[in-house]
Amino acid sequence: MQTTLDDQQALAELNLSRVRPFQLREYPGLIRLCSILLFLAIWEYYGRGVDPIFLSYPTAIARAAVQVTASGELGQQFLLSMKAFVIGFGSAIVLGIGVGLLMGRYRLAQYLLDPYMYAMDATPRVALIPLLLLWFGLGIWSKVAIVFLSGLFPILINTFSGVKTVSGSLVEIGQAYGAKEGQIFRKIIAPATLPFIMAGVRVGVGRAVVGIITAEMFTAVTGLGAMLIVYSSSFATDKLFVPIILLALLGVALTEVVKALQSWLAPWKESERAESE
Amino acid sequence: MLEIRHLSKVFFERNDPRRSGLVALHDISFQVQGNEFICLLGPSGCGKTTLIRIAAGLLRADKGEVLVNGRPVIAPGRDRCMVFQNFGLLPWRTVMENVEFGLEIEGGPREERRRICQKYIELVGLQGFESYFPHQISGGMQQRVGIARALSKEPDILLMDEPFGAVDAQTREQLQEELMKIWATTNNTVLFVTHSIDESIYLADRVIVMKPRPGRIREEVKIDLPRPRWAVDVRADPRFAQLRTRIRELLRG
Amino acid sequence: MGLIPATRGSIHFRDQLVTEPIQDVGMVFQSPVLLPWRSVLDNVLLPIEVMNRSRREHAPAALELIDLVGLSGFENKMPRELSGGMQQRASICRALITNPSLLLMDEPFGALDAMTREELGVELMRIWDEKRKTVVFVTHSIPEAVLLADRVVVFTARPGRVAEIIEVKLPRPRGLETEFAAEFKEYVDRIRAIIYAQKVRR
Amino acid sequence: MSRRVFRRYVLPTLTIAGLIALWQVLCVVLDIPVWLLPAPSLIFQKLVEWGDKLPLHTWVTLYETLAGFALAIAVGIPLAILIVYSEVLQNTIYPILVIFQSVPKVAIAPLFLVWVGYGAISKILVAFLVAFFPIVVDTATGLNAVPRELMELMKVLRASPYHIFKKIRFPAALPHIFSGLKVAITLAVIGAVIGEFVGSDKGLGYLILISSSHMDTGLAFGSMAILAVIGIGLFVGVAWLERVICPWQTTEHQ
């Protein structure tokens, strides 16, 4: 809040008591931390009482985490997952944005490509996993393909609808100032669509992570998803929690990174629309 | 000089000329002399915005033509500049970068651009705000940016599409007075769209009163109030009241 | 009216201290805020419903009000089928349906174009003539204030203080031609002078 | 036949039929191996062959999806209402829910298997878990999206909380709720299938799993097609319900 000299003067005249009473609810971080600690404590207490196959407990999980990390297994599988993720998602970003911009700007591209866009988006993509495995084999490329397909459509659709949204009013400003097509793309459409693109990337990240886990669970050969299946079928519940927690953190971290990028790249847009997952 | 000749424009349902159409403009003709300030006045739906967009070269007419200095308008050009209703600022650019936009499109040395833009930022009274983003300044200030951007191209003709429609009443009066002062120094030809009777009388040399469905010219009213109009309050002039009654009746009838 | 507490001082209504929202009041806001899933008539009757009064008993009154603001024939239309000015008329009906003795209007015509605005101002005076209410009307526009009011309370900006209270002694009924009266001009100039004096000082 | 009917229904149908025909022709002409891409005729043949067993598998997946979705609604909407009305919950649970939205929930599927075994319940739980978050978050957003002026008006009228909820907040939230439901139903299908991938002995996911491991691509494709029909059908159903329940919304959306 910006205050002027007049405000300060008036405030002095009013002579209010300016002591603020302590209120617990003004410290949500503290409440949350307490809540989490309490949850862990209860889990620990009861978890020790039940069959370790059924439900492990925090200290056992921590021990298992140290174990699988020290053996190098976790790191190795994590890198295998991430390698596929980076290649697949990187190409999804490049192609999604490129094609989305073209489809948004040129009707011909739109009509040529939008049936595929909508059809592919409506198909439950996880169902394609077996097919992709057949085509690309059990190695990294089937995972790259599923990450690519999962990430591509949210980015493509958001970019496309972003261009459509800015088309009317903002493009007209460029036209009124005599901007050429290239200038309209660079100076108007690209920056104006950025918030939409980032919203699409945010959705795409979530879907791509789900895609890669599912693919790995399906094949149970490499990656964090495979670890999930191996540990669950050998009833090593304490170890099973390790990749689960790592994946949870990965999901949150990736989303936060995209959010941070979003507010860094598009600080003028206070609120953006983003569907979940 | 700007000349509008037998201009007509029809908006068809889904852009399909076989479907039913709305006649936005029907056989409009008038002339604007150099350095003249013209207001287009009319209720919503009378096609005044369509007319100004055709003059800007953003829209094609179905019949008739717009001539600028004798040459027909087919596309936006550097002789005309537009000030938009909702300011039309680019939200990711600062005040300075927004003002620079027009000259940037044309190219030319950056130093030169900065110098010209600084001059117009000062003219509209925004010095000190160059590095602010549009969402950080008030609506009235945003429209000053829009005006500075248009002026920086030093156009012959300034097209203003309800530029003060989105600001509150008091800011509006202030902006009107400032526009008059700016115009006194730049002396562009101005075509100004509004639906406020008082605004049109205060600003214009002539008011072109339009009526809707189909959009056409009802009458032209000459505003013979003395200039400058901000020094003595012209709103107090009895002629102002008479003009207002007359225009109001034209709009009613 | 009891929606936000005052830091210091108090508001009294009929010699009673206002601490919570009082019932005998109608409110009109800058935007019409009609419920998009209700017809005009149902929107007007909304206060009746939430006050647990009989809809059937008040329906004729609602129709009468709709007629009074010139919306007859539109009572079964949905808000999105109406123009901004018409929506604002409907919201005025909604404020009047409980027959309040006090009407609070927060820049009700601020979002409308200048011509609709003038028209609704005249309309409001006609309604006010028929249903004498105490009206507190917030506006940016000086001519609008002078045209409508018995008294204009001019505020300063930041901190909000009352700069002056001006009694408008123009004869009623007033209409758009009132604006040509020399006194009208004087009032407008006086208020403008007060406001600009404030701006210069800062 | 009106133009509209032709353009909206007949033309897309013809396009799809054309594409399938083209697929068939290419498979035959280029002699594409069956494991790579089965011809539509083969897929159809497989579907007929499995005609007696397919309804069971389809029903299992549909049932798991719908049960998980219903559970997500039954828990999600009341929870969202509690969150909106309780400041404590709004400050504690809600932010955690928002964070959990970006957690890949399917990773927990193997854990469910350990907890509740191979039966339908573990799949229902996965479907529930993925469908739950968009419903809670969108419902809470919707309930909070009432214009400030309307809430003030209600206060001035001294409307009871029940009336405010019934006449203002809930209807105003409906469009948001439906946008949450539309995301949730697609996710519920995916959740059920992933649950089946992880461990099951029936359902379309199971069928895809075993048929692809036997290189029986015809059956895998057939199952996928049924799955796609279920997914699209459920989505269209929710969208239709939205149009029926909040007709005022449709025009704004277009």
Side-chain angles (χ1 to χ4, degrees):
Chain A
M1 206 183 336
Q2 257 190 338
T3 57
T4 64
L5 218 60
D6 290 352
D7 282 318
Q8 287 157 25
Q9 200 186 338
L11 196 59
E13 264 173 52
L14 282 171
N15 190 27
L16 301 167
S17 154
R18 302 186 71 187
V19 185
R20 193 156 177 226
F22 175 81
Q23 278 185 316
L24 189 62
R25 64 155 183 258
E26 281 174 22
Y27 300 91
L30 189 69
I31 302 174
R32 266 176 228 149
L33 187 69
C34 289
S35 145
I36 292 169
L37 288 178
L38 188 71
F39 172 72
L40 288 178
I42 294 172
W43 185 5
E44 181 79 27
Y45 180 78
Y46 284 101
R48 283 171 186 270
V50 296
D51 187 346
I53 285 177
F54 194 69
L55 178 69
S56 196
Y57 48 92
T59 47
I61 295 167
R63 226 177 300 133
V66 173
Q67 201 187 322
V68 289
T69 315
S71 70
E73 192 188 356
L74 188 70
Q76 193 197 342
Q77 303 296 3
F78 178 72
L79 283 181
L80 280 172
S81 294
M82 286 316 286
K83 196 174 159 198
F85 186 85
V86 169
I87 300 174
F89 201 65
S91 28
I93 290 178
V94 173
L95 211 73
I97 295 175
V99 177
L101 287 175
L102 284 179
M103 283 175 66
R105 186 74 183 134
Y106 302 111
R107 283 286 168 85
L108 181 67
Q110 181 190 338
Y111 296 148
L112 269 176
L113 297 175
D114 71 0
Y116 305 101
M117 180 175 82
Y118 290 120
M120 282 300 295
D121 192 55
T123 316
R125 272 157 307 273
V126 290
L128 294 174
I129 290 172
L131 191 67
L132 295 172
L133 284 168
L134 275 174
W135 287 347
F136 295 101
L138 291 177
I140 187 174
W141 292 108
S142 57
K143 286 198 256 177
V144 170
I146 187 74
V147 168
F148 173 75
L149 282 180
S150 307
L152 176 69
F153 292 98
I155 300 173
L156 176 61
I157 289 176
N158 265 45
T159 308
F160 166 71
S161 62
V163 179
K164 284 276 164 197
T165 312
V166 300
S167 276
S169 50
L170 284 177
V171 169
E172 194 165 80
I173 293 160
Q175 286 168 344
Y177 281 89
K180 289 178 228 19
E181 189 64 16
Q183 287 174 316
I184 287 180
F185 245 112
R186 268 203 327 279
K187 293 184 192 292
I188 304 218
I189 292 179
T193 319
L194 202 58
F196 292 88
I197 295 175
M198 291 312 289
V201 170
R202 219 165 117 183
V203 178
V205 157
R207 288 198 187 165
V209 172
V210 170
I212 197 164
I213 298 172
T214 314
E216 289 169 349
M217 289 200 299
F218 192 86
T219 53
V221 180
T222 56
L224 294 172
M227 288 176 84
L228 290 171
I229 294 298
V230 171
Y231 293 146
S232 85
S233 54
S234 62
F235 294 102
T237 309
D238 51 349
K239 286 189 183 168
L240 176 55
F241 269 101
V242 178
I244 290 181
I245 292 170
L246 184 61
L247 282 167
L249 292 177
L250 182 71
V252 174
L254 283 173
T255 312
E256 290 304 314
V257 167
V258 177
K259 264 195 223 169
L261 271 177
Q262 219 168 344
S263 54
W264 176 63
L265 287 172
W268 65 90
K269 197 98 180 179
E270 317 92 287
S271 62
E272 86 295 328
R273 295 174 308 149
E275 53 170 314
S276 56
E277 234 167 298
Chain B
M1 196 194 81
L2 179 71
E3 192 179 350
I4 314 275
R5 271 196 206 152
H6 304 292
L7 205 65
S8 295
K9 174 78 193 171
V10 183
F11 289 110
F12 291 103
E13 223 176 275
R14 284 200 233 156
N15 266 331
D16 185 345
R18 288 166 301 182
R19 292 170 181 274
S20 67
L22 184 100
V23 183
L25 293 171
H26 183 63
D27 197 19
I28 305 264
S29 298
F30 62 90
Q31 284 188 11
V32 186
Q33 304 305 322
N35 312 337
E36 202 180 9
F37 200 123
I38 298 287
C39 275
L40 287 175
L41 175 75
S44 22
C46 70
K48 49 197 194 305
T49 294
T50 309
L51 174 56
I52 206 163
R53 291 182 64 219
I54 293 173
L58 291 170
L59 212 63
R60 284 296 192 86
D62 290 313
K63 278 258 167 65
E65 54 187 353
V66 177
L67 301 174
V68 173
N69 298 328
R71 282 193 308 275
V73 166
I74 40 165
R78 71 156 309 165
D79 46 5
R80 285 151 289 139
C81 244
M82 180 111 161
V83 177
F84 296 86
Q85 187 171 7
N86 294 313
F87 320 139
L89 302 184
L90 304 175
W92 55 89
R93 286 172 166 245
T94 61
V95 166
M96 173 53 101
E97 288 165 349
N98 261 295
V99 175
E100 261 190 295
F101 181 76
L103 292 178
E104 195 183 310
I105 292 294
E106 279 182 10
R110 196 183 159 81
E111 304 288 295
E112 171 84 5
R113 256 161 35 198
R114 277 276 146 112
R115 200 181 48 72
I116 297 173
C117 292
Q118 192 60 43
K119 182 176 118 194
Y120 284 102
I121 284 177
E122 275 160 32
L123 186 66
V124 298
L126 279 178
Q127 58 273 41
F129 291 94
E130 290 88 345
S131 58
Y132 282 61
F133 283 99
H135 68 93
Q136 295 172 312
I137 58 178
S138 70
M141 288 162 87
Q142 289 187 38
Q143 194 53 294
R144 285 170 216 229
V145 178
I147 293 171
R149 177 177 63 185
L151 290 175
S152 72
K153 289 192 72 177
E154 298 174 346
D156 301 340
I157 298 169
L158 200 55
L159 303 167
M160 305 183 85
D161 181 13
E162 278 182 52
F164 307 145
V167 299
D168 69 68
Q170 279 165 39
T171 311
R172 189 169 185 153
E173 284 187 7
Q174 222 172 316
L175 284 173
Q176 288 164 3
E177 187 176 321
E178 265 165 49
L179 177 63
M180 284 289 89
K181 287 178 180 165
I182 291 168
W183 182 65
T185 69
T186 59
N187 252 310
N188 317 66
T189 305
V190 184
L191 190 58
F192 188 106
V193 163
T194 178
H195 51 225
S196 161
I197 300 173
D198 284 21
E199 185 167 85
S200 68
I201 302 173
Y202 181 73
L203 296 174
D205 294 320
R206 277 185 295 149
V207 175
I208 295 175
V209 182
M210 296 182 63
K211 62 184 192 175
R213 309 224 145 179
R216 65 226 119 116
I217 295 177
R218 167 89 205 174
E219 208 169 312
E220 244 181 62
V221 180
K222 192 147 177 60
I223 309 293
D224 44 8
L225 295 166
R227 288 188 191 269
R229 293 183 184 158
W230 65 85
V232 280
D233 193 351
V234 284
R235 291 187 179 91
D237 196 307
R239 277 176 294 179
F240 195 95
Q242 286 160 13
L243 283 166
R244 189 201 274 153
T245 322
R246 169 131 179 260
I247 292 175
R248 188 171 281 143
E249 252 143 41
L250 286 173
L251 283 168
R252 288 268 153 78
Chain C
M1 268 297 119
L3 284 169
I4 52 171
T7 315
R8 178 78 45 91
S10 57
I11 291 182
H12 293 260
F13 181 59
R14 295 203 173 125
D15 299 329
Q16 278 200 323
L17 181 65
V18 176
T19 51
E20 55 172 2
I22 46 171
Q23 197 118 44
D24 200 14
V25 52
M27 291 198 73
V28 181
F29 305 92
Q30 184 166 12
S31 54
V33 286
L34 300 176
L35 299 177
W37 56 89
R38 282 169 167 252
S39 68
V40 169
L41 180 62
D42 287 343
N43 263 294
V44 173
L45 283 169
L46 176 76
I48 296 303
E49 282 176 37
V50 299
M51 291 167 89
N52 286 320
R53 296 205 214 149
S54 154
R55 236 187 93 100
R56 186 144 21 106
E57 259 171 50
H58 286 83
L63 288 173
E64 220 171 275
L65 279 171
I66 289 171
D67 188 45
L68 180 70
V69 300
L71 280 183
S72 46
F74 290 91
E75 52 272 358
N76 292 322
K77 291 264 188 280
M78 297 310 255
R80 67 182 136 83
E81 299 172 272
L82 269 52
S83 69
M86 288 161 95
Q87 289 188 21
Q88 197 56 283
R89 285 164 201 253
S91 89
I92 292 173
C93 291
R94 182 179 61 190
L96 290 173
I97 187 71
T98 55
N99 200 17
S101 42
L102 175 62
L103 197 55
L104 300 178
M105 307 184 85
D106 181 11
E107 279 185 57
F109 308 146
L112 304 172
D113 72 61
M115 283 173 207
T116 320
R117 191 172 182 151
E118 284 183 346
E119 207 178 302
L120 277 187
V122 175
E123 196 91 332
L124 177 66
M125 280 193 288
R126 194 171 57 75
I127 296 166
W128 182 78
D129 237 13
E130 213 165 296
K131 313 213 171 247
R132 292 282 169 151
K133 308 273 179 207
T134 309
V135 180
V136 179
F137 188 104
V138 177
T139 179
H140 268 124
S141 157
I142 301 169
E144 188 170 76
V146 176
L147 179 67
L148 297 174
D150 291 322
R151 277 184 298 152
V152 177
V153 181
V154 184
F155 273 71
T156 68
R158 296 294 297 276
R161 287 171 200 263
V162 174
E164 210 169 322
I165 299 181
I166 291 171
E167 193 125 358
V168 181
K169 289 187 186 130
L170 295 167
R172 290 194 189 266
R174 301 175 193 164
L176 289 176
E177 53 307 327
T178 311
E179 290 179 20
F180 308 135
E183 298 109 291
F184 184 90
K185 204 56 225 165
E186 276 164 32
Y187 283 120
V188 170
D189 288 343
R190 220 170 111 199
I191 294 170
R192 190 173 280 130
I194 295 168
I195 289 168
Y196 285 114
Q198 287 296 329
K199 290 217 165 130
V200 170
R201 197 173 62 86
R202 288 204 304 146
Chain D
M1 187 165 61
S2 78
R3 254 187 107 76
R4 202 185 71 90
V5 171
F6 182 77
R7 289 185 62 160
R8 269 200 70 175
Y9 302 103
V10 181
L11 209 57
T13 315
L14 285 176
T15 314
I16 291 167
L19 280 175
I20 291 175
L22 187 69
W23 179 358
Q24 176 76 40
V25 168
L26 285 178
C27 278
V28 174
V29 172
L30 299 178
D31 200 19
I32 295 172
V34 172
W35 63 267
L36 196 60
L37 188 68
S41 60
L42 181 76
I43 297 169
F44 185 72
Q45 186 194 324
K46 283 283 175 187
L47 285 176
V48 173
E49 214 173 283
W50 280 69
D52 53 336
K53 298 194 190 102
L54 274 174
L56 171 76
H57 293 289
T58 306
W59 162 246
V60 167
T61 303
L62 188 64
Y63 161 75
E64 289 160 356
T65 303
L66 286 176
F69 182 61
L71 197 62
I73 293 176
V75 179
I77 292 181
L79 183 64
I81 293 169
L82 282 179
I83 285 172
V84 167
Y85 277 94
S86 149
E87 205 176 328
V88 177
L89 291 182
Q90 185 127 25
N91 281 326
T92 52
I93 290 187
Y94 188 64
I96 295 176
L97 284 179
V98 173
I99 293 171
F100 258 86
Q101 259 204 308
S102 44
V103 168
K105 267 84 59 182
V106 293
I108 308 175
L111 197 61
F112 284 144
L113 211 63
V114 174
W115 285 349
V116 296
Y118 274 74
I121 297 184
S122 66
K123 286 91 203 169
I124 293 174
L125 282 178
V126 180
F128 159 75
L129 201 66
V130 292
F132 169 74
F133 290 92
I135 295 180
V136 184
V137 173
D138 282 357
T139 307
T141 313
L143 289 171
N144 276 327
V146 180
R148 187 181 50 84
E149 289 97 333
L150 266 177
M151 291 307 284
E152 291 184 347
L153 181 71
M154 290 296 108
K155 273 196 204 166
V156 168
L157 294 168
R158 291 200 196 165
S160 65
Y162 167 72
H163 264 136
I164 297 181
F165 179 77
K166 188 182 140 200
K167 294 194 188 294
I168 311 282
R169 283 193 129 170
F170 192 69
L174 272 175
H176 288 90
I177 294 178
F178 269 106
S179 72
L181 291 181
K182 282 192 278 193
V183 175
I185 191 72
T186 349
L187 291 178
V189 179
I190 294 174
V193 172
I194 292 176
E196 288 169 0
F197 280 175
V198 172
S200 65
D201 51 12
K202 41 186 172 313
L204 292 170
Y206 163 77
L207 218 53
I208 294 173
L209 188 72
I210 55 147
S211 57
S212 65
S213 65
H214 294 143
M215 292 279 197
D216 186 353
T217 44
L219 182 58
F221 262 92
S223 314
M224 275 186 248
I226 298 175
L227 202 61
V229 170
I230 289 181
I232 295 168
L234 289 176
F235 180 86
V236 170
V238 175
W240 173 79
L241 212 60
E242 180 186 21
R243 269 204 307 282
V244 172
I245 293 178
C246 17
W248 68 89
Q249 183 66 14
T250 44
T251 44
E252 290 167 37
H253 251 316
Q254 291 307 307

